[in-house]
Amino acid sequence: MSDAPVSVDCSNAEADQDSAKVVGESVVESSTDAVGADAALSGKANGRGRGSGREAGRERSKELVVKLFGEERRLGTFPARLHSDLLHLVEMLRRGKLPRLAAERLTAVEAALASPNSLCASVTQLRQQIEVWREGGRRAFDADRYYDGERAVGYTEHNRGPQETLARRALQLCSLSTESLASEEGKTLKKENLLAVDLGCGSGLSTAESLRLPMQMVGTIGIDLSSEMLRSDEWREVASLPAPMAGERLRCDLGQPLPFRAGVFDLAYSISAVHYLVQDSMT
């Protein structure tokens, strides 16, 4: 038959599903003989339950195409009954975890990968290939193109709590107090004036936390590569905070020299951005 191959989107790093949604499929008749029971199971796995005499003596195979790191990856042609386990395996390897498959099912997957129709000859090779794709996707990532207005809003809403918590912890590691201290004998404690830079500030969630510090007067400049992130409505709230330079931000590429004098900042911190700076080893 000539329908489109199986295509699965596994590119969402925040997904909690162990397998992804199949959005298309094709069926390729293989020359492998199989018992009728296996053929029947293959039909059920594809939701069609076909049991014609012609198909009953042959195991049905399909090409498996998985979307990883922004591109479609053709893994090979495998028996349909193994597609679910293969998708689970790919997703677990993408997450850097071990597959949760029974020994006999993992053995069947290994045997399928070892066939001439497979891109990778083993689970180990598949893991290595996924890491190659991951690194290629990281190098090709363009934050300014990826984060359009809709994605910027979604990112802000989804990460509000975690970003604020991580920012407070990062500021604590910079030896700044995130808690108010009681003044002695009614005296007002003098706040320390500091200049900070938020590397990869996004929509300003992490920037705002430095401006809310009770014991320091911090002026923070946010820098990010995404224009839509820097135009986010969240910056209106940041700009309204009673702190110097509130809402100041600049579009910069963290992978390039920044347009500031050396030593001008008292502290620098970064939340959920350092992974974009990973470079290939030179050794």
Side-chain angles (χ1 to χ4, degrees), residues 30-100:
S30 71
S31 59
T32 304
D33 290 334
V35 295
D38 286 342
L41 285 175
S42 176
K44 291 180 180 179
N46 288 279
R48 298 188 180 183
R50 295 177 179 175
S52 67
R54 183 175 63 85
E55 293 186 354
R58 295 184 178 183
E59 185 170 37
R60 302 173 66 226
S61 296
K62 296 187 295 186
E63 184 180 18
L64 186 60
V65 181
V66 181
K67 190 171 184 182
L68 283 171
F69 313 114
E71 293 187 22
E72 289 188 345
R73 317 291 182 174
R74 296 182 178 275
L75 302 183
T77 301
F78 306 100
R81 59 185 174 82
L82 295 179
H83 275 220
S84 178
D85 287 348
L86 284 163
L87 293 176
H88 169 81
L89 174 63
V90 169
E91 178 63 11
M92 289 296 101
L93 294 180
R94 185 188 67 79
R95 297 185 191 182
K97 298 181 179 180
L98 295 175
R100 297 194 293 266

Side-chain angles (χ1 to χ4, degrees), residues 5 11 66 161 176 249 257:
S11 61
V66 181
L176 301 182
R249 64 248 193 221

Side-chain angles (χ1 to χ4, degrees), residues 168-177 194 266-270:
R168 285 193 294 271
R169 181 56 181 151
L171 293 168
Q172 291 171 357
L173 294 174
C174 292
S175 300
L176 301 182
S177 175
L194 300 171
D266 297 297
L267 64 117
Y269 65 99
S270 180

